[in-house]
């Protein structure tokens, strides 16, 4: 018969290597999934470039973080990268709007079939990917600062007296917090705001939305800006790990 | 001259003309009903009035202003509201959200208009947090008419508002449409239930192959033996 403390140790071991990392990784995936679901749900558009848009946002955050670090700006115990987040958001919005104006608008005006949009988005994907590779490259980048651990395995062992340790990184807590905030904000946006409701109306019944005076061009841009918001956090935190 | 006038419309969907010189008009505080066999071009005439059809010939005027070249959205802004025959609600949105979307173009406070719609259709107030897609056919039609009323239109166009609803609900809907007319709105409606619709109509059009076959007041058409025999079933 295992002792009670053995069961506790097993739970801690499992949490340290599976549960905690899985929750934080799952939260990262959820952010990306949220963005791409929003695009498909509202515009019926399978955006293959979504992941690379996220990478672009992340790249912007990293570059701005390095900039901040080099001129001595920090965020105390929190990662400086958090301060750089708004710049990443703006970068991703700017890139999306640029591709919308220069590429997608042309096909929208031609009322192209959905499959054309999918193929076009693959092209956009390769372009975005090339830009990111050209500027920052595919290898790991270090930009981590602030307090790394909320508690370390050794501290946990000393505190609880168990023989297994548990680590909790500040990035894991941040990731989960940001995910919950994004999901809540997005839910609020779609359920409660006029623009959010218009976007739902457009995806629900396009013709009736047009008859109600809802303008699809506006839907696209609002939509773009709301979808790249969550998207880029994800990569940010993937890179932060 | 009537408030909304369509004169000698000709046009179709790219192939042969569907409308062959069809003329319609309706004034504020008046109900005009279009009846006719299936495929006569009734819905197509509605689309033409809304600017969703390429017309080869003919003009549409609203309050004396020529709107023939205007886009559908701009016509909505000018006060024409349209309730399509099918897919006329946002099924995944609540009744209240449907009404809000009807008022999308309005920048003023539309709470008063929403109250008016709820007064007109009390059942909608009761169901306002329910998804429109979960309502019965008759209730859905009320949502559709309510959504259109939210723009505070001067012209309300309805394409077969009573299709697929029971006779009792139909009478109920017609009563509501009479109330809408009393608010000084021009009502133009296509109906399959021809006899009942002509009963409440100030004006009726019998449309056959895109042309006006018979025109007259509702009572005149109901009394016309030819119209009775061919279109009203005796
Ligand atoms: N979107 C469309 N494209 C091509 N032809 C159409 C379209 N809609 C209707 N038609 C044709 O136009 C004619 C008139 O249709 P419609 O106006 O819907 O008739 P009604 O409403 O009087 O029953 C029919 O022959 C129909 O097949
Ligand atoms: Mg029809």
């Amino acid at each position: 018969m295992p002792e009670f403390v053995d069961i506790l140790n097993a739970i801690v071991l499992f949490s340290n290597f599976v549960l905690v990392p899985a929750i934080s990784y799952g939260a990262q995936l959820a952010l990306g999934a949220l963005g791409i679901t929003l695009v498909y749900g509202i515009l019926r558009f399978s955006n293959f470039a979504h992941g690379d848009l996220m990478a672009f946002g992340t790249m912007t955050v990293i570059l701005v973080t390095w900039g901040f670090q080099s001129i001595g700006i920090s965020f105390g115990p929190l990662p400086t990268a958090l301060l750089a987040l708004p710049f990443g958001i703006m970068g991703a919005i700017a890139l999306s709007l640029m591709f919308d104006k220069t590429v997608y608008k042309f096909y929208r005006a031609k009322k192209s079939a959905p499959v054309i949009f999918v193929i076009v988005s693959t092209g956009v994907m390769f372009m975005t990917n090339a830009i990111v590779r050209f500027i920052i490259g595919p290898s790991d980048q270090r930009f981590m600062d602030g307090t790394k651990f909320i508690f370390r395995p050794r501290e946990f062992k000393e505190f609880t007296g168990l023989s297994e340790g548990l680590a909790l990184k500040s990035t894991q807590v941040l990731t989960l917090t940001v995910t919950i905030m994004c999901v809540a904000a997005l839910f609020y946006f779609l359920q409660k705001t006029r623009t959010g409701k218009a976007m739902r109306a457009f995806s629900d019944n396009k013709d009736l939305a047009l008859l109600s005076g809802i303008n699809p061009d506006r839907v696209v841009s609002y939509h773009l800006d709301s979808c790249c918001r969550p998207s880029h956090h994800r990569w940010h935190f993937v890179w932060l790990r | 001259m009537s408030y909304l006038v369509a004169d000698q419309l000709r046009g179709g969907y790219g192939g042969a003309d569907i409308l062959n010189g069809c003329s319609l008009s309706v004034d504020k505080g008046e109900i005009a009903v279009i009846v006719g066999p299936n495929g006569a071009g009734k819905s197509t005439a509605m689309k033409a009035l809304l600017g969703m059809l390429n017309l080869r010939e003919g003009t549409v005027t609203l309050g004396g202003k020529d709107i023939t070249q205007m886009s559908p959205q701009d016509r909505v802004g000018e006060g024409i509201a349209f309730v399509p025959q099918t897919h006329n609600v946002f099924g995944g949105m609540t009744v209240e959200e449907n009404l809000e979307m009807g008022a999308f173009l309005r920048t003023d406070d539309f709470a008063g208009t929403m109250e008016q719609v709820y007064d007109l259709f009390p059942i909608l107030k009761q169901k306002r947090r329910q998804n429109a897609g979960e309502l019965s056919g008759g209730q859905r039609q009320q949502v559709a008419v309510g959504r259109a009323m939210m723009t505070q239109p001067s012209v309300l166009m309805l394409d077969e508002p009573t299709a697929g609803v029971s006779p009792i609900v139909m009478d109920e809907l017609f009563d509501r449409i009479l109330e809408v007319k009393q608010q000084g709105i021009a009502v133009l409606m296509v109906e399959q239930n021809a006899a009942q619709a002509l009963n409440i109509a100030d004006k009726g059009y019998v449309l056959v192959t895109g042309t006006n076959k018979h025109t007259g007041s509702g009572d005149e058409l109901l009394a016309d033996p030819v119209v009775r025999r061919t279109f009203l079933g005796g």
Side-chain angles (χ1 to χ4, degrees):
Chain A
M1 271 293 283
E3 303 236 357
F4 179 62
V5 69
D6 292 334
I7 297 174
L8 279 186
N9 273 324
I11 291 173
V12 170
L13 187 72
F14 177 76
S15 300
N16 191 33
F17 289 103
V18 179
L19 194 61
V20 173
I23 287 175
S24 92
Y25 186 51
Q28 290 161 20
L29 295 183
L31 280 175
L34 205 64
I36 206 159
T37 309
L38 200 64
V39 183
Y40 185 74
I42 287 162
L43 298 180
R44 301 286 145 193
F45 164 45
S46 311
N47 185 9
F48 273 50
H50 192 77
D52 282 283
L53 175 67
M54 300 194 305
F56 183 86
T58 312
M59 178 189 75
T60 314
V61 170
I62 293 172
L63 295 178
V64 174
T65 305
W66 283 341
F68 281 167
Q69 286 169 342
S70 70
I71 56 173
I73 296 176
S74 84
F75 202 12
L78 294 169
T80 310
L82 274 184
L83 286 180
L85 269 183
F87 296 92
I89 293 173
M90 287 188 293
I93 293 174
L95 187 78
S96 307
L97 289 178
M98 193 274 285
F99 275 125
D100 187 64
K101 289 268 175 295
T102 55
V103 181
Y104 293 119
K105 194 170 186 173
F106 174 78
Y107 294 94
R108 211 165 42 243
K110 287 212 318 190
K111 299 197 190 331
S112 298
V115 66
I116 303 290
F117 278 93
V118 172
I119 295 168
V120 168
S121 81
T122 315
V124 170
M125 173 187 85
F126 282 124
M127 281 188 70
T128 314
N129 189 282
I131 294 169
V132 173
R133 276 169 183 272
F134 181 74
I135 297 178
I136 203 168
S139 48
D140 281 359
Q141 306 294 338
R142 313 196 130 268
F143 59 100
M144 187 60 201
D145 56 8
T147 314
K148 194 157 185 221
F149 287 94
I150 292 177
F151 50 79
R152 291 162 196 279
R154 190 169 38 76
E155 292 161 352
F156 181 85
K157 279 192 230 172
E158 281 165 9
F159 184 73
T160 58
L162 293 170
S163 58
E164 290 296 337
L166 176 65
L168 189 62
K169 291 181 194 166
S170 53
T171 51
Q172 291 169 332
V173 174
L174 273 174
T175 305
L176 197 62
T177 315
V178 168
T179 306
I180 292 170
M181 273 164 38
C182 277
V183 172
L186 186 67
F187 187 79
Y188 178 85
F189 173 72
L190 286 176
Q191 294 298 322
K192 302 284 179 217
T193 68
R194 180 170 171 270
T195 311
K197 286 179 193 176
M199 282 163 56
R200 274 165 56 220
F202 193 79
S203 82
D204 191 305
N205 188 336
K206 193 173 152 188
D207 291 332
L208 198 61
L210 291 173
L211 279 179
S212 307
I214 295 168
N215 181 345
D217 283 341
R218 297 270 295 279
V219 169
V220 168
S221 53
Y222 276 122
H223 170 67
L224 277 170
D225 109 12
S226 60
C227 80
C228 32
R229 236 169 267 234
S231 55
H232 109 276
H233 296 282
R234 184 208 150 187
W235 275 93
H236 168 53
F237 285 103
V238 167
W239 288 59
L240 214 66
R241 274 198 309 163
Chain B
M1 197 162 108
S2 293
Y3 187 64
L4 177 69
V5 182
D7 192 40
Q8 294 292 319
L9 304 182
R10 280 176 205 279
Y13 298 95
D17 282 356
I18 307 292
L19 300 178
N20 298 296
C22 154
S23 297
L24 305 160
S25 70
V26 59
D27 216 342
K28 286 187 175 178
E30 201 176 62
I31 297 180
V33 170
I34 309 173
V35 299
N38 276 322
K42 303 183 297 294
S43 298
T44 307
M46 286 270 191
K47 284 184 202 161
L49 288 178
L50 210 72
M52 302 197 298
L53 196 76
N54 290 327
L55 285 175
R56 281 197 309 106
E57 270 176 43
T59 53
V60 182
T61 56
L62 184 74
K65 177 176 163 190
D66 190 331
I67 58 165
T68 316
Q69 302 303 330
M70 215 181 247
S71 75
Q73 276 97 316
D74 289 343
R75 292 186 203 209
V76 172
E78 292 286 322
I80 301 183
F82 179 50
V83 179
Q85 187 170 351
T86 53
H87 305 290
N88 51 20
V89 297
F90 298 110
M93 301 175 80
T94 66
V95 169
E96 189 156 289
E97 286 170 341
N98 268 271
L99 298 184
E100 282 172 33
M101 288 300 107
F104 186 79
L105 283 179
R106 288 179 59 180
T107 48
D108 55 336
D109 182 17
F110 53 78
T113 319
M114 198 175 274
E115 275 313 310
Q116 283 173 7
V117 170
Y118 286 146
D119 286 344
L120 195 62
F121 303 115
I123 187 78
L124 296 189
K125 182 156 196 170
Q126 210 178 310
K127 305 254 176 197
R128 66 184 190 278
R129 308 232 175 278
Q130 204 166 328
N131 277 357
E134 298 164 359
L135 302 178
S136 74
Q139 290 164 353
R140 246 199 326 261
Q141 291 296 357
Q142 297 182 19
V143 175
V145 176
R147 184 203 60 81
M149 293 295 292
M150 286 303 291
T151 52
Q152 287 188 313
S154 46
V155 179
L156 179 63
M157 303 204 308
L158 306 158
D159 196 350
E160 302 199 21
T162 66
V165 306
S166 70
I168 297 169
V169 176
M170 180 180 78
D171 288 344
E172 169 87 24
L173 262 171
F174 281 161
D175 283 348
R176 295 292 91 82
I177 290 167
L178 277 169
E179 283 182 41
V180 169
K181 158 192 154 167
Q182 263 130 40
Q183 293 177 19
I185 296 173
V187 180
L188 180 66
M189 116 177 125
V190 169
E191 258 306 328
Q192 285 294 337
N193 298 304
Q196 291 89 335
L198 287 174
N199 248 322
I200 64 160
D202 298 287
K203 208 191 254 179
Y205 296 94
V206 179
L207 212 65
V208 180
T209 56
T211 340
N212 299 40
K213 186 95 176 180
H214 304 274
T215 309
S217 74
D219 293 337
E220 279 167 14
L221 289 180
L222 283 171
D224 185 330
V226 181
V227 175
R228 287 190 75 89
R229 193 160 14 88
T230 29
F231 301 107
L232 305 176

